[in-house]
Structures are given as structure tokens and as C-alpha cells.
Amino acid sequence: MRTARIVEVEAYLGGRDPASHAYRGPTPRTAPMFGPPGRSYVYFVYGMYHCLNVVTESDGVAGAVLLRGAEPLAGFEAVEPSALAGPGKLARGFGLTTEHTNLDLVRSILTIRDAPTVPTWRVARSVRVGLNEHATTNKPWRLYVRGSSGVSRT
DNA sequence: CGAATGATCCGA
DNA sequence: CGGATCATTCGA
């Protein structure tokens, strides 16, 4: 089993967030974002990368958190500490594809477990990265563990 | 149908 | 900064 510690995330909302895939209403691809919380939303971009999100809002309300970086803990054979630093690399490291969208993250082959609380002083905030200017909100909706090797380069 | 585009990454 | 590379989405 492969395990890793999540160290970088970004929040995406629904109708009020122009950067969100849910901005213009549900589509077959984004349906999980409008579903019940605690499930996965995996999408394919740039013809070669997958990204993993955790659906967060109640059923019928769009909202998700993009997992952008993690530190490998176990199950990864001889990988660099930065192997999961970045949303595309994280999904690839876990072998995720669109087959893994809409999975129950509490009980399925893909789960998220509780972990020791990260001290507030280790958490940094910033604006989200990788968005086109038109969609940027300039809200500090990216959170990451300061100094972690699992944080994507920006 | 065709065309545009993107919540990325890497290398120069 | 540009290229890789293609599913998804939107307009005609």
C-alpha cells in the first residue's frame, strides 16, 4: 500500500469561483464536484496529467480541494522526496486515472486518513497557482506546509 | 462536426 | 518561454 502525507492543497468553489471546473454548472466530467462530500474528483488535463480532488460541500453544492503535493511515506520504491510535489505528479505517483473519480475516500481502494495536526506556524497560505489571469481570484486559497519537500515548485 | 483550451511539467 | 498531447466543452 502506498501512503503519503498531504502537504499542499487548493480550494475550489462552485458558481462564484471562475477558476473552478464547476463554474458553469455540472457536466459529465465535473459531476462528482456536485455530489456528496468525502468522494474523489479526478480529471485529466494537458493530454497527459491527472489531478485528484476531495469533494467537500454537501450533496448538490459544488466544492472541492485539489491535492497539489504530498510527502511519500511508505510503499514507494526508491523515489525522491519530491516525487509527489505537484498535482500531476501526485496523481501519477498513486497511479490514478479518471477511473478513480467519484470514489468514497473513507472506504475504497483510495482513502484519506487522519494524521497528527500540523502546527499553525508551519502552515503558509498563498493565492492559487497555475490559473489564467482571467480566472484568478487573488484569494489565499492555497495552503501548504512551509519548507516541505512535497510542496510543488511555484 | 471542428476548434480551442487547460487546476501541468520539464527542459532550455 | 515553448512544447507535449488529448479529453472535454462550446459554438455553428
XYZ file of all heavy atoms in Angstrom, chain A residues 2 42-43 49-52 67 83-84 86-97 100, chain B residues 9:
198
model
N 0.533 2.155 -0.836
C 1.295 3.410 -0.888
C 0.640 4.452 0.010
O -0.570 4.674 -0.078
C 1.351 3.931 -2.330
C 2.410 3.256 -3.171
C 2.232 3.562 -4.633
N 1.093 2.838 -5.206
C 0.804 2.843 -6.503
N 1.528 3.562 -7.338
N -0.209 2.160 -6.958
N -11.420 13.164 -9.956
C -10.172 13.072 -10.716
C -10.434 13.501 -12.149
O -11.374 13.033 -12.784
C -9.614 11.629 -10.706
C -8.319 11.563 -11.512
C -9.375 11.146 -9.281
N -9.615 14.409 -12.654
C -9.776 14.855 -14.039
C -8.437 14.764 -14.778
O -7.378 14.664 -14.170
C -10.330 16.279 -14.097
C -9.396 17.320 -13.536
C -8.444 17.933 -14.347
C -9.451 17.674 -12.194
C -7.586 18.873 -13.840
C -8.594 18.622 -11.678
C -7.664 19.221 -12.507
O -6.794 20.148 -12.000
N -1.823 14.524 -17.881
C -1.785 14.523 -16.416
C -3.177 14.354 -15.808
O -4.175 14.790 -16.390
C -1.175 15.819 -15.891
C 0.265 15.985 -16.265
C 0.652 16.891 -17.243
C 1.245 15.206 -15.653
C 1.983 17.038 -17.601
C 2.575 15.341 -15.999
C 2.938 16.258 -16.975
O 4.248 16.384 -17.315
N -3.193 13.728 -14.655
C -4.429 13.606 -13.883
C -4.256 14.408 -12.600
O -3.143 14.589 -12.129
C -4.711 12.142 -13.537
C -5.033 11.296 -14.726
N -6.308 11.158 -15.238
C -4.233 10.574 -15.536
C -6.274 10.373 -16.282
N -5.026 9.998 -16.498
N -5.381 14.894 -12.054
C -5.334 15.620 -10.793
C -6.427 15.091 -9.879
O -7.542 14.801 -10.308
C -5.533 17.118 -11.023
S -4.200 17.902 -11.951
N -6.087 15.002 -8.584
C -7.010 14.450 -7.588
C -7.574 15.536 -6.680
O -6.833 16.357 -6.145
C -6.274 13.409 -6.733
C -6.994 12.912 -5.479
C -8.272 12.162 -5.840
C -6.065 12.041 -4.651
N -5.587 18.308 -4.341
C -4.388 17.876 -3.632
C -3.185 18.129 -4.532
O -3.023 17.481 -5.564
C -4.493 16.393 -3.264
C -5.720 16.003 -2.433
C -5.578 14.584 -1.900
C -5.944 16.990 -1.284
N 8.823 13.416 -5.324
C 8.127 12.657 -6.367
C 6.635 12.967 -6.437
O 5.999 12.736 -7.463
C 8.337 11.165 -6.160
N 6.088 13.477 -5.354
C 4.654 13.779 -5.324
C 4.406 15.278 -5.215
O 3.303 15.708 -4.862
C 3.977 13.051 -4.151
C 4.186 11.536 -4.080
C 3.506 10.968 -2.837
C 3.649 10.848 -5.326
N 3.414 18.281 -6.622
C 2.698 18.800 -7.787
C 1.495 17.919 -8.046
O 1.583 16.698 -7.867
N 0.364 18.502 -8.442
C -0.868 17.723 -8.612
C -0.752 16.597 -9.632
O -1.250 15.487 -9.404
C -1.889 18.771 -9.053
C -1.091 19.939 -9.521
C 0.158 19.922 -8.728
N -0.065 16.859 -10.740
C 0.103 15.840 -11.762
C 1.001 14.716 -11.264
O 0.748 13.540 -11.506
N 2.059 15.070 -10.553
C 3.000 14.079 -10.046
C 2.364 13.253 -8.935
O 2.584 12.051 -8.839
C 4.263 14.791 -9.538
C 5.004 15.517 -10.633
C 6.075 16.437 -10.075
C 7.250 15.656 -9.510
N 8.327 16.580 -9.056
N 1.534 13.911 -8.106
C 0.862 13.213 -7.020
C -0.065 12.127 -7.571
O -0.024 10.964 -7.149
C 0.083 14.217 -6.171
C -0.499 13.729 -4.848
C -0.686 14.894 -3.893
C -1.837 13.027 -5.070
N -0.872 12.509 -8.548
C -1.812 11.544 -9.131
C -1.067 10.426 -9.836
O -1.431 9.249 -9.729
C -2.754 12.253 -10.109
N -0.007 10.773 -10.517
C 0.778 9.755 -11.214
C 1.435 8.804 -10.224
O 1.499 7.593 -10.435
C 1.845 10.433 -12.087
C 2.541 9.484 -13.028
C 3.702 10.154 -13.712
N 4.665 10.691 -12.737
C 5.625 11.545 -13.019
N 5.742 12.011 -14.235
N 6.456 11.967 -12.083
N 1.932 9.355 -9.116
C 2.588 8.540 -8.101
C 1.679 7.474 -7.523
O 2.119 6.402 -7.132
N 0.401 7.790 -7.457
C -0.565 6.839 -6.929
C -1.256 6.054 -8.049
O -2.160 5.274 -7.789
C -1.604 7.559 -6.069
C -1.126 7.845 -4.664
C -0.530 9.066 -4.364
C -1.245 6.890 -3.670
C -0.070 9.323 -3.072
C -0.796 7.143 -2.386
C -0.203 8.359 -2.089
N -0.847 6.309 -9.288
C -1.423 5.579 -10.407
C -2.890 5.894 -10.645
O -3.648 5.030 -11.077
N -3.284 7.113 -10.369
C -4.692 7.486 -10.506
C -5.046 7.894 -11.928
O -4.250 8.520 -12.628
C -5.013 8.648 -9.558
C -4.751 8.370 -8.073
C -5.065 9.617 -7.255
C -5.589 7.186 -7.606
N -6.242 7.501 -12.348
C -6.769 7.902 -13.649
C -8.227 8.309 -13.441
O -8.723 8.295 -12.319
C -6.728 6.749 -14.669
O -7.685 5.752 -14.263
C -5.352 6.119 -14.736
N -10.642 6.517 -11.280
C -10.678 6.694 -9.832
C -11.489 7.910 -9.400
O -11.376 8.366 -8.277
C -9.260 6.796 -9.283
C -8.416 5.593 -9.554
N -7.648 5.457 -10.695
C -8.260 4.442 -8.859
C -7.023 4.294 -10.663
N -7.377 3.648 -9.579
P 2.436 19.363 -11.768
O 2.363 18.220 -10.857
O 2.533 20.724 -11.248
O 3.661 19.109 -12.753
C 3.645 17.925 -13.535
C 4.740 17.956 -14.579
O 4.411 18.872 -15.628
C 6.106 18.363 -14.035
O 7.010 17.299 -14.284
C 6.445 19.637 -14.803
C 5.585 19.521 -16.050
N 5.178 20.808 -16.651
C 5.315 20.993 -18.029
O 5.781 20.081 -18.711
N 4.941 22.169 -18.573
C 4.440 23.139 -17.804
N 4.070 24.278 -18.395
C 4.283 22.967 -16.404
C 4.663 21.790 -15.868
